[in-house]
Amino acid sequence: MRIPENQTYTRVAIALHWVIALLIALNFVAVWVADGMPKAEKMQIMANHKAFGITILILSVLRILWRIAHRPPPLPASLAPWEAVLARSVHSLFYFLMIGMPLTGWAMVSTGGKPVSVFGLFDMPALPVGADKATGGTFHEVHEIFGTAFLVLIGLHVLGALKHQFLDHDGTLARMIPLLRQRRGL
Ligand code: HEM
Ligand code: HEM
């Protein structure tokens, strides 16, 4: 059985999925590692966290534009209605957080009035959110809540992918990992 062309994601969508997923994972690891580090090291790690975060924002905007121009394949017909609703909800919330998470981080640091350096290559100017400490605190809180929501969604998403791979054997994971498609002879 071959997966028909319209049943697969484009190479660009697949590349963006994995690069963004990797950078998001690195950004979580960065805050966990930075916690408890001496101040100088912590600032260096957080500078990378901010730069990766802005990179995620840019790539996520590109990914959404690409998705509008190249419709993704329909969900596998084998999904139960509740699974389809869950998958669609998780995907939509992911797109919301892929934009909302970096934006709230950027807004939080913008209350300090300084631009964000992206690996010294270019600067993102401070957003016009004012210099009020309380505003910075609110963005920090939302950033933290979004972070927890992100972790829950990643857990659900990975469990779903593993269920399809090892219990349902329906090739869903192969839609995002072309190497598996070749191995399965699809
Ligand atoms: C998808 C991208 C991002 C993810 C997954 C992410 C995730 C997180 C998480 C989980 C925390 C810990 C929250 C807490 O418990 O206090 C955090 C803190 C922080 N993030 Fe992000 N972040 C992202 C993007 C950004 C961006 C773009 C910026 C700024 C340009 C930023 C700036 C910060 C700062 C300054 C803190 C530390 C706040 C403190 O002092 O405790 N983040 N981030
Ligand atoms: C931070 C991590 C991740 C994020 C933000 C993320 C986000 C997304 C999004 C938004 C989609 C929907 C694509 C679309 O239809 O436009 C998707 C699809 C998919 N993801 Fe992830 N993903 C992550 C990690 C993973 C991991 C670790 C796996 C594998 C274990 C995985 C496997 C898949 C698969 C198989 C699909 C395609 C589902 C289908 O065919 O309908 N993802 N992902």
Side-chain angles (χ1 to χ4, degrees), residues 133-171:
K133 270 207 162 177
T135 310
T138 305
F139 282 124
H140 186 178
E141 248 172 66
V142 180
H143 197 62
E144 198 176 339
I145 294 165
F146 279 4
T148 309
F150 228 142
L151 288 179
V152 172
L153 288 180
I154 292 170
L156 276 176
H157 188 61
V158 171
L159 280 179
L162 296 179
K163 171 187 178 284
H164 287 289
Q165 180 68 10
F166 296 110
L167 296 181
D168 302 339
H169 307 284
D170 60 7

Side-chain angles (χ1 to χ4, degrees), residues 9-168:
Y9 287 92
T10 60
R11 277 169 200 276
V12 173
I14 292 173
L16 285 169
H17 174 270
W18 289 113
V19 172
I20 293 171
L22 179 72
L23 293 181
I24 289 173
L26 283 178
N27 248 12
F28 275 104
V29 172
V31 281
W32 294 330
V33 170
D35 195 30
M37 282 259 183
K39 196 162 182 222
E41 278 97 333
K42 185 172 178 172
M43 291 213 4
Q44 185 51 54
I45 294 173
M46 287 315 287
N48 287 325
H49 175 91
K50 293 176 203 170
F52 277 132
I54 295 292
T55 311
I56 292 165
L57 177 63
I58 295 167
L59 292 178
S60 299
V61 170
L62 288 178
R63 177 151 177 213
I64 289 168
L65 292 176
W66 183 267
R67 193 182 198 277
I68 292 167
H70 304 80
R71 300 309 299 165
L75 289 174
S78 56
L79 291 195
W82 69 267
E83 284 181 306
V85 170
L86 187 61
R88 271 198 206 100
S89 312
V90 169
H91 294 171
S92 306
L93 284 171
F94 263 151
Y95 283 118
F96 173 77
L97 289 177
M98 281 151 60
I99 300 294
M101 192 80 207
L103 270 188
T104 51
W106 185 9
M108 179 203 327
V109 299
S110 292
T111 56
K114 290 199 192 119
V116 180
S117 167
V118 181
F119 305 114
L121 297 174
F122 61 93
D123 284 353
M124 294 298 268
L127 291 169
V129 288
D132 189 20
K133 270 207 162 177
T135 310
T138 305
F139 282 124
H140 186 178
E141 248 172 66
V142 180
H143 197 62
E144 198 176 339
I145 294 165
F146 279 4
T148 309
F150 228 142
L151 288 179
V152 172
L153 288 180
I154 292 170
L156 276 176
H157 188 61
V158 171
L159 280 179
L162 296 179
K163 171 187 178 284
H164 287 289
Q165 180 68 10
F166 296 110
L167 296 181
D168 302 339

